[in-house]
């Protein structure tokens, strides 16, 4: 927490004054658009693009140096890449992030456990978070995810991962709350609590250009979502999650309240630091300052794989100015996390809860 507090002081200067020039501390790398699910809440698998190679990722990581603090390796389904382990090892060797977060639909139960085992052993100084996506129970999950047998295969993957014992490995369950399951959050949570995850997280289904869901009616009504998150806050406070799951739990509690306000008030609640503290590197090399809009600052293949050549351009500064002026808002989880860490009120609140949790 102290490292984050120290960083936010300089990122705020960059946000308001344009200096000191800083690369983000939170990154999402979509390593592929390919996916073996056909979710009702996501259409990323319909995207086309030539995935960056391992060598190209190595060049990008070299340009980032030690700037990454929290990295999410996303997709599509990241484990569809046969060379995923090589990509993550290259990230670890060059950037040494504090957290490496990898979500998965769990379908590849014959390969995911071995890859996670290898990464947990290799990336010893990073917290490795694996979140298995489970949106419902049994056939209801398969209906949302669009693949028959999805739940059964994901449970095989989860069970194998649950048997692993590594001090840096956190195994979580991730649920997307949508209009298809918002009324059943209580039943879903209680069922997954039996699986003893290190953390249980949810985010709201939303219309995002990145996921090609702008035309999909998937977001739950504000009232129904409020009831769901109030239940989740009460229940997760009773849980003593371990490792990175403990910090994630605290951030999630605040995130639920923040999203509830965004949906209800339909306005900016705290400033957005998209393009300052966060960056999204798409599978084809495009750099998005905001994956809600998916507006590219340029392609890293055209910038010699050096993010600085795109991050400090006139276009990038104009984009940041527009975000400050427009006061745009959204319920996106990754963006909300970093925005809260950039907010003194939220950061102090999280810090007190985190420290109190250590000694209680």
């Amino acid at each position: 927490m102290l490292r984050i507090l120290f960083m936010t002081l300089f990122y705020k200067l960059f946000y308001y004054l344009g200096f000191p020039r800083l690369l983000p501390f939170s990154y999402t790398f979509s390593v592929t658009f390919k996916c073996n699910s056909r979710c009702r809440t996501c259409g990323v698998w319909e995207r086309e693009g030539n995935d960056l190679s391992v060598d190209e990722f190595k060049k990008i990581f070299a340009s980032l140096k030690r700037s990454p603090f929290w990295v999410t390796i996303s997709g599509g389904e990241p484990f569809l890449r046969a060379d995923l382990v090589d990509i993550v090892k290259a990230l670890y060797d060059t950037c040494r992030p504090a957290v490496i977060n990898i979500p998965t639909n769990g379908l590849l139960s014959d390969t995911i456990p071995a890859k996670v085992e290898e990464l947990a052993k290799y990336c010893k100084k990073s917290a490795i978070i694996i979140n298995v996506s489970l949106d419902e129970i049994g056939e209801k999950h398969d209906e949302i995810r669009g693949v028959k047998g999805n739940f059964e295969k994901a449970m095989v993957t989860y069970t194998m991962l649950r048997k692993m014992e590594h001090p840096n490995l956190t195994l979580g369950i991730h649920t997307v709350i949508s209009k298809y399951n918002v009324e059943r959050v209580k039943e879903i949570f209680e069922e997954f609590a039996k699986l003893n995850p290190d953390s249980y997280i949810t985010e709201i289904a939303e219309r995002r250009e990145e996921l090609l869901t702008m035309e999909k009616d998937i977001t739950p009504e504000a009232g129904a979502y409020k009831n769901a998150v109030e239940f989740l806050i009460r229940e997760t406070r009773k849980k003593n999650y371990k490792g990175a799951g403990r910090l994630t739990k605290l951030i999630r509690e605040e995130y639920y309240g923040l999203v509830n306000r965004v949906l209800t008030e339909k306005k900016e609640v705290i400033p957005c630091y998209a393009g300052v503290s966060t960056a999204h590197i798409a599978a084809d090399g495009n750099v998005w300052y905001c994956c809600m809009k998916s507006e590219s600052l340029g392609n890293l293949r055209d910038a010699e794989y050096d993010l600085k050549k795109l991050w400090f351009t006139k276009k990038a500064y104009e984009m940041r100015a527009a975000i400050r002026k427009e006061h745009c808002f959204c319920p996106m989880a990754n963006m909300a996390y970093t925005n809260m860490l950039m907010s003194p009120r939220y950061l102090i609140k999280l810090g007190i809860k985190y420290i109190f949790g250590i000694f209680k």
Side-chain angles (χ1 to χ4, degrees), residues 265-278:
E265 300 173 19
K266 299 187 183 304
K267 67 177 183 179
E268 180 188 85
V269 177
I270 55 176
C272 180
Y273 289 85
V276 175
S277 58
T278 65

Side-chain angles (χ1 to χ4, degrees), residues 154-170:
M155 288 304 300
V156 171
T157 298
Y158 180 88
T159 301
M160 295 178 72
L161 294 175
R162 182 71 288 171
K163 295 176 181 178
M164 296 181 187
E165 295 184 4
H166 299 282
N168 62 330
L169 177 62
T170 296

Side-chain angles (χ1 to χ4, degrees), residues 121-158:
K121 290 179 178 179
Y122 189 87
C123 306
K124 293 181 178 180
K125 294 186 178 180
S126 292
I128 305 296
I129 302 176
I130 305 296
N131 283 314
V132 180
S133 297
L134 296 172
D135 292 342
E136 254 288 5
I137 303 164
E139 292 182 359
K140 289 185 174 66
H141 174 75
D142 296 352
E143 291 172 5
I144 294 176
R145 290 278 163 164
V147 176
K148 188 175 181 179
N150 188 320
F151 186 79
E152 182 179 355
K153 292 178 181 178
M155 288 304 300
V156 171
T157 298
Y158 180 88

Side-chain angles (χ1 to χ4, degrees), residues 50-197:
N50 181 20
D51 292 347
L52 293 163
S53 68
V54 175
D55 286 339
E56 287 178 308
F57 272 114
K58 287 180 178 179
K59 294 175 183 178
I60 295 170
F61 298 152
S63 82
L64 304 181
K65 296 183 171 60
R66 292 300 178 94
S67 65
F69 178 82
W70 183 297
V71 175
T72 296
I73 305 294
S74 185
E77 168 54 43
F79 285 97
L80 278 175
R81 288 202 59 151
D83 54 7
L84 179 66
V85 170
D86 295 329
I87 294 172
V88 178
K89 284 183 176 181
L91 167 70
Y92 178 77
D93 288 340
T94 305
C95 303
R96 201 58 57 89
V99 178
I100 301 174
N101 173 51
I102 310 177
T104 177
N105 59 29
L107 279 169
L108 301 175
S109 55
D110 55 338
T111 60
I112 292 175
K115 291 181 178 180
V116 171
E117 182 91 41
E118 185 174 355
L119 289 175
K121 290 179 178 179
Y122 189 87
C123 306
K124 293 181 178 180
K125 294 186 178 180
S126 292
I128 305 296
I129 302 176
I130 305 296
N131 283 314
V132 180
S133 297
L134 296 172
D135 292 342
E136 254 288 5
I137 303 164
E139 292 182 359
K140 289 185 174 66
H141 174 75
D142 296 352
E143 291 172 5
I144 294 176
R145 290 278 163 164
V147 176
K148 188 175 181 179
N150 188 320
F151 186 79
E152 182 179 355
K153 292 178 181 178
M155 288 304 300
V156 171
T157 298
Y158 180 88
T159 301
M160 295 178 72
L161 294 175
R162 182 71 288 171
K163 295 176 181 178
M164 296 181 187
E165 295 184 4
H166 299 282
N168 62 330
L169 177 62
T170 296
L171 176 61
I173 293 176
H174 174 274
T175 297
V176 176
I177 299 180
S178 68
K179 62 179 294 184
Y180 308 116
N181 62 2
V182 66
E183 301 293 347
R184 283 179 40 81
V185 166
K186 180 177 184 294
E187 292 82 359
I188 293 168
F189 174 85
E190 289 176 346
E191 184 65 24
F192 294 156
K194 299 175 184 177
L195 300 177
N196 192 33

Side-chain angles (χ1 to χ4, degrees), residues 182-250:
V182 66
E183 301 293 347
R184 283 179 40 81
V185 166
K186 180 177 184 294
E187 292 82 359
I188 293 168
F189 174 85
E190 289 176 346
E191 184 65 24
F192 294 156
K194 299 175 184 177
L195 300 177
N196 192 33
D198 296 328
S199 70
Y200 178 75
I201 61 176
T202 73
E203 63 180 291
I204 188 170
E206 53 204 334
R207 295 176 176 178
R208 288 164 56 178
E209 182 61 38
E210 174 205 4
L211 305 181
L212 301 180
T213 56
M214 295 302 291
E215 306 301 321
K216 292 188 177 185
D217 180 20
I218 57 177
T219 304
E221 296 294 328
Y225 182 76
K226 179 181 179 181
N227 292 335
V229 297
E230 286 179 348
F231 166 79
L232 288 172
I233 290 172
R234 289 195 305 271
E235 292 303 311
T236 54
R237 282 176 178 167
K238 302 174 184 178
K239 302 292 183 180
N240 292 315
Y241 294 127
K242 72 171 188 177
R246 186 159 57 86
L247 179 58
T248 301
K249 166 191 168 183
L250 298 178

